[in-house]
């Protein structure tokens, strides 16, 4: 995936590298040059011409759906992006619906702060170029060849239907690690697998996303410091929806308007 109006040579070189590794490619162009004259009507102003950034945002939203369909149908088993700043943001939008573990590699010359923001929301593999992507030269050749060979070696393996074991998510951060380790040991004795998330903002966001995708049978939320960061303006907030993924609404007239999604499992585990 790239904006071919600015990254055409780089994409052609990258596609050749991937082909030499025996993999086929599907080219996804999110460039804006071909539709730069299109007017923006969503805001009610039919005379205003959309900026390239606005057009790219629109294109990314549409491409996000198309890429999800390609993944769901098994047409693609990995995705790589070549981008600068705006293209990197578009790549983050496009891959946001892809499953955890689906290979997502971004070769980018964007500023580090933007790349760090992308890492907060997705399991994108980031390859900062450190030099600008302006054609093929001795430096960009090295970057693109490494990236091409890397993505060619990656394949998405779909999760098996059903689980052999229960899976429990646990949050940990510094001083709660000993408690998390104890939980892991006790759960392992009961034949339960554990997935530990660092409560550093990114970890909490990803856990909430995976809870919503029904990836876990239960959650031990030992470490809620991300809530404190959200309330007092800390640096490791996971957003205002932290802790909401593990609860589902019930009868609003009930004295208890919310119940834990995993309450039945906990009761069975406690009895055991």
């Amino acid at each position: 995936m790239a904006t071919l109006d600015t990254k055409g040579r780089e994409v052609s070189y990258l596609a050749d590298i991937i082909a030499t590794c025996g993999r086929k490619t599907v080219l996804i162009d999110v460039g804006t040059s071909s539709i730069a004259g299109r007017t923006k009507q969503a805001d009610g102003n039919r005379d205003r011409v959309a900026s390239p950034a606005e057009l790219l945002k629109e294109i990314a939203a549409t491409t996000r759906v198309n890429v999800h369909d390609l993944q769901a149908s098994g047409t693609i088993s990995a995705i790589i992006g070549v981008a600068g700043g705006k293209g990197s943001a578009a790549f983050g939008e496009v891959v946001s619906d892809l499953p955890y573990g689906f290979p997502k590699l971004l070769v980018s010359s964007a500023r580090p702060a933007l790349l760090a923001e992308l890492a907060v929301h997705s399991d994108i593999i980031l390859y900062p170029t450190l030099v600008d992507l302006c054609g093929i030269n001795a430096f960009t050749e090295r970057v693109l060849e490494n990236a091409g060979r890397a993505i060619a070696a990656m394949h998405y393996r779909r999760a098996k239907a059903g689980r052999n074991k229960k899976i429990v998510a646990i949050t940990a951060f510094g001083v709660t690690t000993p408690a998390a380790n104890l939980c892991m040991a006790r759960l392992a004795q009961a034949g339960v697998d554990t997935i530990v998330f660092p409560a550093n903002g990114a970890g909490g966001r990803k856990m909430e996303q995976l809870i919503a995708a029904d990836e876990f049978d239960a959650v031990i939320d030992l470490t809620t410091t991300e809530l404190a960061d959200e309330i007092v303006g800390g640096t490791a907030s996971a957003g205002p929806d932290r802790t909401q993924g593990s609860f589902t609404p019930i009868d609003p007239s009930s004295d208890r308007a919310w119940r834990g999604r995993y309450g039945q499992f906990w009761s069975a585990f406690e009895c055991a």
Side-chain angles (χ1 to χ4, degrees):
M1 171 186 149
T3 55
L4 291 189
D5 47 0
T6 60
K7 299 292 184 290
R9 287 177 293 173
E10 293 86 348
V11 167
S12 178
Y13 186 87
L14 180 63
D16 287 343
I17 294 296
I18 295 172
T20 62
C21 296
R23 297 289 297 277
K24 296 180 180 179
T25 56
V26 176
L27 182 59
I28 301 172
D29 181 14
V30 293
T32 61
S33 292
S34 62
I35 54 172
R38 199 175 83 188
T39 56
K40 177 84 168 180
Q41 299 182 2
D43 61 359
N45 185 351
R46 293 178 178 270
D47 297 324
R48 188 172 71 83
V49 177
S51 70
E54 290 171 322
L55 286 176
L56 188 58
K57 187 175 181 179
E58 282 188 17
I59 294 169
T62 301
T63 305
R64 173 179 176 175
V65 176
N66 295 336
V67 167
H68 181 271
D69 291 343
L70 289 171
Q71 179 272 317
S73 66
T75 303
I76 61 173
S77 57
I79 186 169
I80 184 169
V82 180
K86 292 183 177 65
S88 294
F91 184 83
E93 168 69 17
V94 167
V95 304
S96 58
D97 284 340
L98 295 178
Y100 180 81
F102 187 92
K104 318 167 188 73
L105 175 57
L106 176 59
V107 181
S108 176
S109 59
R111 66 187 188 279
L114 174 59
L115 298 181
E117 182 64 22
L118 291 176
V120 168
H121 299 283
S122 179
D123 60 329
I124 297 174
I125 304 168
L126 300 171
Y127 192 160
T129 63
L130 303 183
V131 298
D132 208 351
L133 290 165
C134 293
I136 303 301
N137 55 54
F139 285 85
T140 56
E141 276 185 357
R142 301 179 206 175
V143 170
L144 294 172
E145 182 162 352
N146 285 339
R149 295 187 182 282
I151 198 67
M154 299 180 193
H155 295 264
Y156 176 59
R157 185 177 66 179
R158 295 177 182 273
K160 296 179 181 178
R163 298 176 185 146
N164 296 326
K165 292 183 177 181
K166 298 283 188 181
I167 301 177
V168 174
I170 304 176
T171 52
F173 189 64
V175 295
T176 63
T177 298
N181 288 339
L182 180 58
C183 290
M184 291 172 62
R186 293 290 298 275
L187 289 167
Q189 291 173 2
V192 178
D193 281 342
T194 51
I195 307 295
V196 180
F197 292 86
N200 58 8
R205 287 178 188 272
K206 180 51 63 176
M207 185 183 76
E208 294 290 331
Q209 292 172 6
L210 294 175
I211 290 171
D214 291 325
E215 291 285 350
F216 307 121
D217 297 286
V219 176
I220 302 178
D221 206 346
L222 278 175
T223 315
T224 56
T225 54
E226 291 162 319
L227 292 173
D229 281 87
E230 172 67 16
I231 293 170
V232 302
T235 60
S237 168
D241 295 328
R242 179 71 172 82
T243 74
Q244 296 304 303
S246 55
F247 289 86
T248 52
I250 58 174
D251 183 359
S253 63
S254 169
D255 292 336
R256 192 178 179 192
W258 295 83
R259 67 173 172 81
R261 176 182 295 179
Y262 305 117
Q264 292 182 341
F265 172 68
W266 281 128
S267 296
F269 182 76
E270 288 167 0
C271 290

